[in-house]
Amino acid sequence: MRERLTDGVYGLGWAAVKRLPEPAAAALGRRIADTAWRRDGKGVRRLTSNLARVVPDAGPERLAELSRAGMRSYMRYWMESFRLPAWSEQRIRDGFDPQDVHWLKDGLAGDTGVILALPHMGNWDLAGAWVTTELGVPFTTVQERLKPESLYDRFVAYRESLGMEVLAHGGASAFGTLARRLRGGGLVCLVADRDLSATGVEVDFFGSAARMPAGPALLAQQTGALLLPVTLWYDDSPVLQGKVHAPVEVPATGTRAEKTAAMTQAMADDFAAGIAGHPEDWHMLQRFWLDDLRGGASR
């Protein structure tokens, strides 16, 4: 029953919210976010706890401001995502303004393939739609398996409607397909801050140990593809902001494991730089750091 209800809520969102005028959808998102923030449920408490690590000198009032802004940012992502299938191509082109996109364009002009690695910031779906629309470049991504299966199917259909090839997360099959796309000079986009396998690479992240997926670094080593971290954030305008960071280089020496660790740490450092500048736009409402995952934190 709970899974059917969840699927129904998402279905209602895609069916109803996309028909609202944009100002009305934005206002609705803020109301929902503020209500959730005031209720201070588990997700809000976890967001606040995570933000306390990102901004360690923030007092209670500043943390409250950040977590409220974080919930508004998170709901802006959902309101935009529900509406994206109804946006015109011009609205998508006008909806994202990335900095240093020359790194991506130069990489695509070569024949080695490009990997874009992003944290859960801003609206990665809008950024992806901009790539397929403004640059005219299709790409392959990976989707976490969700329950119920009908909800997973909704997300796959939604992202495919934006021009993405979507693979199910997990196993050698997805990795092999990603590698083939890259060897063919293609583009792969991966949300890569939260390790879903529990077998990722340990990194230092805001002074504490966390684990991030090894996939981006391994793919870059195996295929010769360019690995570009990307960070996203909102400002006061309707336009999503972003930055394509400089390529993460493959170390000249070391074992594969050592190279993977160094590259994943470099990726994490770029993520941290983007998140530090815009902490409210990091949508991490789950346990993330290793001591939290092990139950070392009370919130």
Side-chain angles (χ1 to χ4, degrees), residues 96 115-121 123-125 127-128 139 141 188-194 213 216 227-232 243 267 271 282:
F96 183 39
I115 305 159
L116 296 180
L118 306 89
H120 286 81
M121 286 188 79
N123 190 334
W124 45 96
D125 288 322
F139 64 86
T141 189
V188 164
C189 298
L190 301 171
V191 180
D193 52 348
R194 185 166 166 245
L227 174 54
L228 301 175
V230 178
T231 50
L232 308 170
K243 176 181 176 62
M267 180 183 74
F271 289 175
W282 187 40

Side-chain angles (χ1 to χ4, degrees), residues 197-220:
S197 67
T199 59
V201 177
E202 188 170 317
V203 296
D204 180 271
F205 201 61
F206 290 100
S208 297
R211 188 176 286 117
M212 293 189 180
L218 288 172
L219 283 166

Side-chain angles (χ1 to χ4, degrees), residues 30-41:
R30 289 192 295 271
R31 286 198 298 272
I32 294 172
D34 289 349
T35 299
W37 178 77
R38 286 192 296 269
R39 289 178 177 173
D40 198 32

Side-chain angles (χ1 to χ4, degrees), residues 4-277:
R4 289 198 298 271
L5 178 61
T6 299
D7 181 52
V9 168
Y10 281 98
L12 179 62
W14 268 299
V17 173
K18 69 180 180 182
R19 295 189 175 91
L20 292 175
E22 195 159 335
L28 175 62
R30 289 192 295 271
R31 286 198 298 272
I32 294 172
D34 289 349
T35 299
W37 178 77
R38 286 192 296 269
R39 289 178 177 173
D40 198 32
K42 183 178 179 181
V44 175
R45 294 196 302 272
R46 175 52 51 188
L47 175 64
T48 305
S49 176
N50 288 340
L51 287 169
R53 291 182 184 262
V54 173
V55 191
D57 58 346
E61 289 187 6
R62 174 60 176 153
L63 274 179
E65 291 173 357
L66 281 173
S67 64
R68 183 184 184 189
M71 290 304 297
R72 286 190 167 195
S73 176
Y74 184 50
M75 286 310 304
R76 178 173 171 176
Y77 160 74
W78 280 113
M79 292 298 108
E80 288 181 347
S81 295
F82 288 144
R83 291 176 51 77
L84 260 178
W87 280 17
S88 68
E89 290 188 357
Q90 191 59 51
R91 177 66 182 89
I92 291 172
R93 291 189 179 99
D94 294 341
F96 183 39
D97 185 23
Q99 302 171 15
D100 298 328
V101 74
H102 67 89
W103 289 117
L104 174 57
K105 292 180 178 179
D106 292 348
L108 292 172
D111 58 0
T112 58
V114 177
I115 305 159
L116 296 180
L118 306 89
H120 286 81
M121 286 188 79
N123 190 334
W124 45 96
D125 288 322
L126 173 54
W130 183 90
V131 168
T132 62
T133 303
E134 174 67 16
L135 301 185
V137 178
F139 64 86
T140 305
T141 189
V142 173
Q143 169 69 52
E144 177 187 0
R145 281 284 184 187
L146 301 171
K147 291 183 178 180
E149 189 73 15
S150 56
L151 179 59
Y152 170 78
D153 292 340
R154 284 187 191 275
F155 272 95
V156 170
Y158 158 64
R159 289 182 169 132
E160 287 179 341
S161 76
L162 301 176
M164 310 176 193
E165 178 189 22
V166 182
L167 308 177
H169 178 270
S173 175
F175 187 92
T177 300
L178 295 173
R180 286 194 297 274
R181 299 293 182 267
L182 292 168
R183 290 193 184 99
L187 176 64
V188 164
C189 298
L190 301 171
V191 180
D193 52 348
R194 185 166 166 245
D195 178 46
L196 298 176
S197 67
T199 59
V201 177
E202 188 170 317
V203 296
D204 180 271
F205 201 61
F206 290 100
S208 297
R211 188 176 286 117
M212 293 189 180
L218 288 172
L219 283 166
Q221 292 176 66
Q222 186 166 314
T223 67
L226 200 66
L227 174 54
L228 301 175
V230 178
T231 50
L232 308 170
W233 65 92
Y234 291 120
D235 58 15
D236 293 331
S237 77
V239 180
L240 175 69
Q241 305 298 312
K243 176 181 176 62
V244 181
H245 296 259
V248 174
E249 301 291 342
V250 178
T253 60
T255 65
R256 186 172 74 162
E258 290 168 342
K259 292 179 180 180
T260 300
M263 294 175 71
T264 306
Q265 182 64 62
M267 180 183 74
D269 291 343
D270 284 336
F271 289 175
I275 292 167

